[in-house]
Amino acid sequence: MLDLDAFCAEGHVVAAPGETAVSLVALTLSSLGRSAWIAVRTGAFLPALAVVGTTDLIATVPSRLAALQADNFGLVCHPPPLALRPFTVATTWHVRADSDPGIRWLLDELQTALA
């Protein structure tokens, strides 16, 4: 496991939507007067894990997702050396998709996975 100094010294893959979005890790480090080098930015967690699996970079992702995907991407999982607040996962879609069976199925799967 990395201590905070080593964690900050590593290259990070950040999963945050949008070019200007700030990650929860960056906000938390900033509140501690610290920062980390962001080597790669992705819009979602799975691409971040794919990058980590093929580089020497690290990423901070939800622990359940990391555990589920560790074998798929050849990852070793450790808790981060700082306390991170919980966050909400949200989905959005257009109202015309409300009755779409595929959307309903996806939402049911997400609710089951996140329960």
Side-chain angles (χ1 to χ4, degrees):
M1 186 168 126
L2 298 173
D3 65 15
L4 188 57
D5 289 334
F7 180 80
C8 290
E10 292 291 330
H12 290 251
V13 180
V14 171
E19 290 180 24
T20 59
V22 178
S23 75
L24 182 59
V25 172
L27 288 172
T28 304
L29 287 173
S30 178
S31 74
L32 299 172
R34 307 293 297 266
S35 65
W37 173 55
I38 298 173
V40 176
R41 181 180 295 278
T42 70
F45 291 122
L46 282 177
L49 294 178
V51 171
V52 170
T54 59
T55 66
D56 61 351
L57 302 172
I58 66 172
T60 304
V61 302
S63 59
R64 285 185 278 179
L65 176 64
L68 285 171
Q69 296 297 327
D71 288 343
N72 293 336
F73 293 105
L75 306 175
V76 177
C77 302
H78 299 282
L82 67 165
L84 298 169
R85 66 173 172 76
F87 64 95
T88 301
V89 175
T91 58
T92 59
W93 61 93
H94 193 277
V95 67
R96 70 176 168 255
D98 270 348
S99 60
D100 183 297
I103 295 290
R104 301 296 340 152
W105 173 84
L106 178 60
L107 292 174
D108 290 343
E109 291 296 310
L110 286 172
Q111 287 177 330
T112 299
L114 296 172

